Amino acid sequence: MHKALLRQTALSLTLALGASLANADTLRVTVAEYSSKTGPYFEEAATAFEKSNPDTDVQIEVVPWDVLLQKLTTDISGNANADLSIIGTRWLLDFVQEGLAAPLDDYMDDAFKERFFDVFLSPSVMDDQTYGLPVAASARAMYYNKDLFEQAGIDTVPQTWQELSAAAQKISALGDDIAGFGLQGKEIETDVYFYYALWAYGGQLIDDDGTSGLDSDAGYQAAELYKSLIDANATQPGVTSYSREDVQNLFKQGKVGMMITAPFLSNQIRDEAPDLQYGVTAIPAGPDGDRGTYGVTDSIIMFENSKVKDTAWKFLDMLFTTEWREKFTAGEGFLPVNQEVAATPAFADNADLKEFTALLPDARFAPVITGWEEIAAKTSDAVQRIYLGDADIKESLDDAAASINDILDN
């Protein structure tokens, strides 16, 4: 009798659990992998949400940045995309025009919108509709190694590209394994590294007439600057073999005097190279004082074909509370997108982040236009050929500009 009762109880529990799961919402979330902390953060958030919403099963999929767009494209074509996904905000226009991203305004009230700094939320607003929320934000600044500066007899941090060139050559002379300036020439943001000098010489990504800004005096001067640094052995050898992460690793090893990158390098130095003496300063200016930093936002969107939009919004609402935003932003080393988060001691008292925040008035964002990823790839290909010495500067940039103009015309 006792065993029969146990079997009956177990069967009842199994049936109840099966009924519960059958009625549960399954919420699928695709997230970009920013660091080793990304997956654990979102899994923790999913667990907390499921605890408050026991009829929901949250499934997190973490995808490396370099293959995220390809992954999303494949999933979308097979109607197998998640309900929510992180995307580069620069991709958002294409997603909106294809009818893939759902507008979020019906879910948001003024209090929710006021959580954000407008500079980070506004790139996701198109035709008065909000299609994404800024999940990650950063700018770019120049890191420099104080010990290498001292060894090279450099007393003043370069404020212009001319000063940087002179300092980089002095630092590179310290040893064969030391690079004065870490220059990225591979993978994501290779084009962006070129823009820093383009902007310094007064150039634009897209000129006022709607055509590419590469085939301009500013473009030619920017390319000549970087090529001269390479030819003077003021960069690491084999520039086109180094991604952003590769150059950052050299910097953390104390082998690079200066490099330009995002706030998250500060967290990496704290965790991986705590004895490294470094500083953060503005990206160098050009001869007329022009300079620009790259402002970046990534957005999280809700797909239009989601069957659980209300549940998806509840999860978003939780992610953008101060508690969860502070945990994510501090862990990844991003700039705060929420005003309350920015006021917390972890950010308000952070000297490195203050340097980045001070650059936001000069921030330039990738144009919100169709085909931007293809345009960026054309730029990267052109500058790689120049860095390798396989192409004439003017010819390479002119050819890239012509290809870009064809994309802009379509």
Side-chain angles (χ1 to χ4, degrees):
M1 178 71 70
H2 181 61
K3 291 183 179 178
L5 180 60
L6 286 176
R7 284 197 297 271
Q8 182 178 0
T9 301
L11 178 60
S12 299
L13 288 172
T14 301
L15 292 173
L17 178 61
S20 175
L21 291 174
N23 294 326
D25 281 341
T26 297
L27 174 64
R28 296 173 53 220
V29 186
T30 300
V31 301
E33 185 175 37
Y34 294 105
S35 74
S36 61
K37 299 177 181 179
T38 306
Y41 164 83
F42 277 98
E43 290 293 349
E44 182 184 358
T47 300
F49 187 79
E50 289 170 345
K51 185 176 180 179
S52 300
N53 300 270
D55 291 335
T56 301
D57 174 31
V58 182
Q59 299 178 359
I60 304 294
E61 181 180 26
V62 183
V63 181
W65 250 117
D66 289 347
V67 298
L68 178 60
L69 183 57
Q70 178 183 349
K71 162 72 173 170
L72 291 175
T73 301
T74 301
D75 287 351
I76 291 165
S77 65
N79 198 34
N81 55 275
D83 301 287
L84 298 170
S85 180
I86 291 176
I87 68 168
T89 305
R90 58 193 180 278
W91 311 338
L92 184 56
L93 179 61
D94 290 331
F95 278 67
V96 171
Q97 291 186 339
E98 293 294 325
L100 300 171
L104 304 175
D105 298 271
D106 287 346
Y107 297 98
M108 299 190 295
D109 57 20
D110 290 341
F112 182 87
K113 293 180 181 179
E114 288 170 0
R115 297 181 191 178
F116 300 93
F117 288 110
D118 185 64
V119 67
F120 294 132
L121 181 61
S122 59
S124 296
V125 179
M126 301 175 188
D127 296 327
D128 297 325
Q129 293 273 11
T130 308
Y131 289 95
L133 301 176
V135 70
S138 68
R140 303 292 183 261
M142 188 173 79
Y143 287 75
Y144 60 95
N145 183 310
K146 293 182 178 180
D147 289 338
L148 292 180
F149 270 49
E150 183 178 354
Q151 293 174 39
I154 301 168
D155 299 323
T156 305
V157 179
Q159 296 300 308
T160 68
W161 282 101
Q162 184 177 5
E163 292 172 358
L164 180 145
S165 179
Q169 293 179 57
K170 289 181 180 179
I171 293 170
S172 289
L174 294 174
D176 292 339
D177 63 339
I178 301 297
F181 182 62
L183 177 57
Q184 177 187 334
K186 175 186 173 185
E187 296 178 359
I188 186 172
E189 290 197 13
T190 293
D191 61 313
V192 175
Y193 227 105
F194 178 72
Y195 303 152
Y196 304 134
L198 174 72
W199 290 326
Y201 284 102
Q204 301 183 74
L205 306 185
I206 306 296
D207 283 332
D208 294 338
D209 62 1
T211 62
S212 171
L214 293 186
D215 55 343
S216 62
D217 288 342
Y220 307 144
Q221 288 174 306
E224 288 169 0
L225 167 69
Y226 284 141
K227 189 63 168 67
S228 70
L229 287 168
I230 295 169
D231 292 344
N233 297 317
T235 68
Q236 79 279 11
V239 163
T240 57
S241 298
Y242 285 83
S243 67
R244 178 179 65 190
E245 285 69 27
D246 294 331
V247 181
Q248 289 177 171
N249 287 336
L250 288 179
F251 188 87
K252 286 180 286 187
Q253 295 164 15
K255 296 181 178 180
V256 165
M258 296 167 283
M259 75 164 297
I260 299 170
T261 191
F264 46 68
L265 180 58
S266 296
N267 277 15
Q268 295 178 24
I269 293 171
R270 179 198 64 202
D271 296 339
E272 302 169 30
D275 295 330
L276 183 67
Q277 299 299 306
Y278 73 97
V280 180
T281 190
I283 296 170
D288 296 326
D290 293 321
R291 59 158 50 97
T293 184
Y294 188 57
V296 181
T297 62
D298 300 327
S299 298
I300 187 164
I301 65 168
M302 182 192 299
F303 281 99
E304 185 62 71
N305 64 355
S306 171
K307 304 299 184 184
V308 291
K309 286 189 173 71
D310 289 344
T311 301
W313 175 256
K314 287 178 68 176
F315 187 64
L316 287 178
D317 191 24
M318 187 195 84
L319 288 181
F320 285 93
T321 58
T322 299
E323 173 191 356
W324 286 99
R325 278 279 81 199
E326 181 179 7
K327 185 178 297 187
F328 176 79
T329 308
E332 298 289 0
F334 290 124
L335 297 178
V337 300
N338 293 51
Q339 300 193 51
E340 286 188 0
V341 173
T344 62
F347 299 97
D349 300 336
N350 188 309
D352 285 358
L353 288 182
K354 285 182 180 179
E355 291 290 341
F356 283 93
T357 303
L359 299 175
L360 288 177
D362 293 325
R364 324 278 184 102
F365 292 83
V368 182
I369 56 176
T370 57
W372 177 251
E373 289 300 311
E374 187 179 359
I375 290 172
K378 295 288 184 184
T379 303
S380 295
D381 290 345
V383 299
Q384 285 175 327
R385 290 193 295 271
I386 292 169
Y387 297 163
L388 288 167
D390 292 342
D392 172 78
I393 287 175
K394 187 175 186 304
E395 180 181 357
S396 183
L397 293 182
D398 286 355
D399 288 347
S403 297
I404 290 170
N405 289 338
D406 288 340
I407 297 170
L408 292 171
D409 286 340
N410 292 330

